[in-house]
Amino acid sequence: MPSLDVSFFLTIALVAVRLYGAFNGILSDCDEVYNYWEPLNFLTRFFGKKTWEYQPEYAIRSWTYLLPYALLKYPLSWIQKSLEISGALSKGAIPAYTFFYLTRVALALSFTFAECCLADALTYISSELSSWFLLYQIISPGVFQASISLLPSSFALLFGMLSTASIVKYFRFDLFSHKIERDFISESKVIEDSTEPSIPDTNNEATPPSKASPSQGLSSPQMFLCAMYKGSLSRRDKFFALAVGSAAIGGLIGWPFALVLTAPFVVYVTISLLIVKKLPEPLAAINRRKWSIFIYFLAGLSCTYMVGWIGCLIDGLFYLKSTLVPLNIVLYNVLRTTKETGPSIFGVEPTGYYLLNLFLNFHVIFLMVLVDIPGIGSSDFKMGFWQGLAAYRAPLYIWFAIFFSQPHKEERFMYPVYHLITISAAVFTCKFIRIFGTPDKRRFFYHLARLAFFSVTVALGVLRIISVIQNYGAPLSAFKALAAQPPVHPDNSTILENVCIGREWYHYPSSFFLQSNQRLRYVENGFRGMLPGDFVEPSIHSLDGLRNSTYLDQEGFNNKNEYNPDFVYPNLDSCDYYIDINMPVDSESGEVSIFEKDGSSSNGNWQTIRCENMIDPDRSYGLAKLIYLPTTEIQYFKSFLANLLQNKNVVAIKGSPLYQKLTDRETYKLLLDSKPVKKLSEPETYKPLFENEQVQKLYTESMARVFEVDSKYQLAAKLPGKVFYHKFCVARRI
């Protein structure tokens, strides 16, 4: 199949998977909800939960980052009003969570665009490499989640892919310019050895030396090479500016730590320009190295300054003071950490945390990266060793070195290098498959190896993605049912309804799943850290009203993760809805529950309106906890196979003489007996072993454990592990 067809189908699959993730993907991080979805709800609907990071005193979250997403409310409101005016929909028929999914679609499509740009750039190195990169992007559970996350680290990943694409294209034209230099020198030697005269000068008068053109006296091929050389340098400079600009946007608007990923490329370019290399005079006049260094420095400084200045200006409007949020983030996380403040107060993890997490998010793809680490000295197809090191290898290893050494670890910290992981794995795959053959030599083994890689990676990726959605998708489904409930006070829709949540506060999917007259409240849940408070709701729903709220230093917030009882309701008396799981509560810590094991309400004042299955991670174990095991599909296949074997046509075929002859052992007796195999399974060989009393006792006990499982669950008992579920329920006061 031509590579164009493969790329086309992979692109279609990429778009389909990203859109599927936008509508079905989970919210894996409560920081994403409370630090980004809630402030976005405040920008668009003028209410929401507020974390201490948005206090002007600390100002370590950027409003600049959220503003582009807030603009999506205008096309949605126009569509909604048009449908209401036309009579196609009644007022309020479009739920508020429509904006949530619209934003996710925008995130997914933007992410897909960046992936396609990077895949297109990688075709310069190898079309096969580009195809493997796209495939690994499609079936990686980690990329599946990062592509729809409203997180600065995901934003940094998006612009990191654009930056890497520009870096690859920079090297494309840089290497091309070096090839032109070699060709120009070769052409000059040919002219020197030739007896043919140069192109005659048609001017009658000699040109003064001071006004001589650099192309004077050059042959036609040399003039053509000079023109190509000038064009390649111009394109190279363009992609340098795009690489630095994309990195600046991803770092200064998204996550500042992602700027370190561009450092190896900048160092490489600086060193390559400083290295003195004598060029022929016409080329030296075109490629002035000192001027290039100045232009590059000016371009990089301008990109960084402009992006930082715009961010500082917008954030200053909301915080009512001049502040540089990226600098505040670095100061809080690195330079001003103490025992009482800093990221470590939110938990520390061992070094193996990221290894396990990356294995779950990339399965065998991450193993390829680990295996490929010793191959750091090898060149990568059309890209040389130093270029490959600057483009994706060095940034990946620097990132690992920095964040593996940090005590506080979170999954989203690895987002900015996800594309570098898939590139590295794709390079390893291309090299490893070529051990078995090439498209021209030993084609069968080459395609067999490709099929094996494709089958294993796709199967593991799909099973992991299905497992995550099935096990953790309950909050989104349950809160959709809450959004569809009729008002508690139908006569007066302005009365606020309290939606209370207990132990599952960190699985809250955002206020986009609440109606405009509903507010989230916390009840006692045993948690003794810093819970979010509420933004001061502006009296005027306008930009000025928002700014009058965001610059307020509200009381009760702290950066020490200290518990504030003022943010928690003492009981359920003031609650109209309640969300919790049907698990035993710790009454000593004040936890309350109204749900039975089956999800029904144990309190006559409450009525369960929706329950969804959610994994119980403490009881679940084994492989079944990590990936989806298709036991139901296997049972369906067995039933289908049994029905197929009972089909009259199949029965007729099995009864035919030809089938009997093909399945008769005597037909193959000559072949089987031609190479007699020594029988190693004679009973006398193992008789002393089975007569041993300890062996017999161990065998009896193990078989008893196997068969003591109820026949209904024999299939599940044979699988490596099992998943247990509890109920994630929503109840309404009656």
Side-chain angles (χ1 to χ4, degrees):
M1 183 181 294
S3 60
L4 179 61
D5 294 340
V6 173
S7 300
F8 173 76
F9 286 115
L10 285 174
T11 303
I12 296 298
L14 179 67
V15 174
V17 169
R18 293 292 171 258
L19 292 177
Y20 174 81
F23 290 103
N24 297 278
I26 67 167
L27 288 162
S28 61
D29 196 332
C30 65
D31 280 344
E32 178 186 354
V33 172
Y34 290 112
N35 280 323
Y36 304 102
W37 284 112
E38 284 298 287
L40 183 59
N41 187 79
F42 177 69
L43 289 176
T44 55
R45 302 176 69 204
F46 305 100
F47 71 92
K49 287 294 180 182
K50 176 183 178 179
T51 61
W52 65 269
E53 289 96 330
Y54 282 93
Q55 281 282 86
E57 178 185 358
Y58 310 114
I60 63 173
R61 293 289 180 256
S62 174
W63 292 102
T64 308
Y65 169 67
L66 293 174
L67 274 183
Y69 302 110
L71 298 177
L72 292 174
K73 76 174 184 178
Y74 294 107
L76 182 61
S77 63
W78 294 337
I79 294 173
Q80 184 174 356
K81 289 180 180 179
S82 299
L83 293 174
E84 291 174 359
I85 293 173
S86 65
L89 288 175
S90 60
K91 188 175 181 180
I94 298 180
Y97 59 74
T98 304
F99 183 85
F100 173 87
Y101 287 107
L102 177 62
T103 306
R104 273 194 159 189
V105 168
L107 290 170
L109 293 179
S110 302
F111 200 87
T112 303
F113 172 76
E115 289 174 300
C116 291
C117 289
L118 182 52
D120 177 67
L122 291 175
T123 55
Y124 160 69
I125 303 175
S126 167
S127 59
E128 184 183 14
L129 172 64
S130 176
S131 297
W132 282 112
F133 166 77
L134 276 180
L135 176 66
Y136 290 160
Q137 287 285 115
I138 293 170
I139 51 88
S140 297
V143 180
F144 178 86
Q145 186 61 43
S147 65
I148 56 170
S149 296
L150 189 68
L151 286 167
S153 53
S154 182
F155 184 82
L157 169 59
L158 189 154
F159 279 90
M161 287 190 289
L162 295 176
S163 178
T164 303
S166 298
I167 290 173
V168 173
K169 291 179 179 179
Y170 172 92
F171 286 131
R172 173 185 181 181
F173 289 99
D174 186 55
L175 294 175
F176 183 62
S177 66
H178 293 328
K179 184 178 185 304
I180 294 175
E181 293 170 1
R182 294 192 296 269
D183 292 345
F184 188 91
I185 294 173
S186 300
E187 182 67 22
S188 300
K189 290 181 179 180
V190 170
I191 293 176
E192 291 176 1
D193 296 339
S194 174
T195 57
E196 295 182 3
S198 301
I199 297 177
D201 189 357
T202 58
N203 296 327
N204 294 327
E205 298 181 1
T207 305
S210 60
K211 298 182 179 180
S213 172
S215 61
Q216 184 177 0
L218 298 179
S219 65
S220 295
Q222 287 178 322
M223 294 177 64
F224 177 71
L225 289 174
C226 286
M228 292 183 64
Y229 190 65
K230 185 175 182 180
S232 65
L233 292 182
S234 176
R235 298 293 297 276
R236 185 192 69 175
D237 297 346
K238 167 190 171 183
F239 287 116
F240 175 85
L242 288 175
V244 175
S246 299
I249 294 174
L252 297 179
I253 303 299
W255 205 33
F257 300 105
L259 291 172
V260 74
L261 297 175
T262 318
F265 169 67
V266 174
V267 170
Y268 171 87
V269 172
T270 303
I271 293 176
S272 64
L273 292 176
L274 289 175
I275 294 177
V276 178
K277 182 180 179 181
K278 188 175 182 179
L279 296 175
E281 182 56 34
L283 299 185
I286 297 173
N287 185 9
R288 299 178 180 178
R289 295 181 179 275
K290 292 183 179 180
W291 179 250
S292 297
I293 294 175
F294 173 74
I295 291 296
Y296 283 1
F297 175 77
L298 184 63
L301 188 63
S302 299
C303 290
T304 304
Y305 174 77
M306 286 300 297
V307 174
W309 178 76
I310 293 173
C312 181
L313 182 64
I314 296 175
D315 287 327
L317 292 174
F318 282 90
Y319 286 119
L320 206 63
K321 66 176 183 179
S322 298
T323 182
L324 189 58
V325 171
L327 178 61
N328 295 342
I329 294 174
V330 175
L331 291 175
Y332 172 78
N333 287 279
V334 180
L335 303 178
R336 293 180 180 174
T337 58
T338 65
K339 292 182 179 180
E340 296 180 349
T341 63
S344 296
I345 65 175
F346 299 101
V348 297
E349 299 290 344
T351 304
Y353 172 85
Y354 282 136
L355 294 175
L356 177 60
N357 184 265
L358 289 172
F359 179 72
L360 288 176
N361 285 328
F362 288 94
H363 45 86
V364 296
I365 297 175
F366 182 60
L367 295 181
M368 297 179 199
V369 177
L370 295 179
V371 173
D372 193 47
I373 287 178
I376 189 172
S378 60
S379 60
D380 301 327
F381 303 97
K382 294 182 181 179
M383 183 178 288
F385 161 63
W386 292 109
Q387 290 82 4
L389 187 66
Y392 71 94
R393 289 182 180 272
L396 181 61
Y397 302 140
I398 289 173
W399 194 264
F400 283 170
I402 292 174
F403 283 90
F404 273 62
S405 62
Q406 298 301 311
H408 179 65
K409 301 176 177 65
E410 295 190 39
E411 177 182 344
R412 68 179 187 272
F413 293 171
M414 289 291 112
Y415 281 7
V417 294
Y418 273 5
H419 67 297
L420 304 181
I421 292 175
T422 51
I423 291 175
S424 184
V427 170
F428 172 81
T429 303
C430 294
K431 292 179 180 179
F432 187 78
I433 287 177
R434 293 191 178 188
I435 296 175
F436 299 92
T438 64
D440 301 324
K441 297 180 180 179
R442 295 188 294 174
R443 295 183 59 184
F444 173 77
F445 296 101
Y446 170 77
H447 290 297
L448 183 63
R450 292 181 68 186
L451 179 61
F453 269 81
F454 176 84
S455 302
V456 172
T457 53
V458 170
L460 290 176
V462 170
L463 293 177
R464 174 62 182 171
I465 291 172
I466 293 174
S467 173
V468 170
I469 294 176
Q470 179 176 285
N471 293 337
Y472 296 97
L476 289 172
S477 300
F479 271 88
K480 284 181 186 177
L482 172 65
Q485 289 297 301
V488 175
H489 308 283
D491 298 333
N492 190 350
S493 60
T494 61
I495 299 178
L496 293 181
E497 299 174 3
N498 294 323
V499 178
C500 297
I501 194 167
R503 295 166 293 179
E504 293 299 296
W505 63 269
Y506 54 91
H507 283 142
Y508 176 57
S510 83
S511 293
F512 283 108
F513 290 83
L514 301 182
Q515 300 177 23
S516 59
N517 67 328
Q518 294 177 335
R519 300 293 183 268
L520 181 72
R521 310 299 183 194
Y522 301 113
V523 296
E524 185 57 61
N525 51 58
F527 180 70
R528 287 298 176 265
M530 181 70 191
L531 286 168
D534 293 285
F535 282 104
V536 175
E537 298 183 17
S539 57
I540 302 176
H541 289 182
S542 64
L543 180 60
D544 287 337
L546 290 172
R547 292 180 57 243
N548 291 334
S549 173
T550 56
Y551 72 73
L552 295 177
D553 270 316
Q554 298 174 237
E555 296 182 357
F557 292 92
N558 64 81
N559 65 343
K560 300 179 181 180
N561 199 27
E562 294 178 350
Y563 176 71
N564 186 350
D566 295 336
F567 292 165
V568 179
Y569 271 33
N571 50 57
L572 298 178
D573 294 342
S574 302
C575 298
D576 299 296
Y577 295 92
Y578 183 59
I579 296 96
D580 200 8
I581 54 176
N582 63 334
M583 299 288 287
V585 299
D586 183 5
S587 56
E588 294 183 358
S589 63
E591 295 179 357
V592 293
S593 179
I594 63 171
F595 298 109
E596 300 286 353
K597 289 184 178 181
D598 61 353
S600 61
S601 175
S602 60
N603 190 321
N605 296 326
W606 294 91
Q607 178 186 6
T608 302
I609 59 176
R610 186 67 172 266
C611 281
E612 295 286 345
N613 285 334
M614 190 167 182
I615 188 173
D616 185 348
D618 295 331
R619 296 173 58 205
S620 302
Y621 63 94
L623 187 62
K625 181 180 178 180
L626 305 179
I627 63 174
Y628 174 72
L629 297 177
T631 55
T632 304
E633 288 76 6
I634 292 174
Q635 291 287 19
Y636 283 146
F637 177 75
K638 286 185 175 182
S639 300
F640 169 77
L641 186 61
N643 294 331
L644 180 64
L645 294 176
Q646 295 175 3
N647 184 275
K648 61 180 182 179
N649 295 325
V650 176
V651 173
I653 293 174
K654 292 178 67 177
S656 64
L658 178 61
Y659 181 85
Q660 296 294 333
K661 188 68 174 176
L662 290 175
T663 56
D664 189 1
R665 181 179 175 85
E666 293 295 327
T667 306
Y668 309 99
K669 183 176 182 182
L670 181 62
L671 179 62
L672 295 173
D673 293 345
S674 61
K675 294 181 180 180
V677 180
K678 183 180 179 181
K679 296 182 178 181
L680 300 177
S681 58
E682 295 293 338
E684 291 78 5
T685 307
Y686 303 103
K687 186 176 181 181
L689 178 63
F690 281 101
E691 288 179 350
N692 187 284
E693 294 182 0
Q694 295 182 352
V695 173
Q696 289 181 351
K697 182 179 179 181
L698 180 63
Y699 175 78
T700 303
E701 292 177 352
S702 61
M703 293 304 295
R705 285 195 295 270
V706 171
F707 289 104
E708 70 182 2
V709 183
D710 192 289
S711 59
K712 181 180 178 180
Y713 301 102
Q714 281 190 9
L715 178 61
K718 296 177 183 178
L719 296 175
K722 188 173 181 179
V723 178
F724 293 91
Y725 293 97
H726 55 239
K727 299 287 186 181
F728 185 95
C729 299
V730 180
R732 176 187 173 113
R733 183 182 291 277
I734 56 177

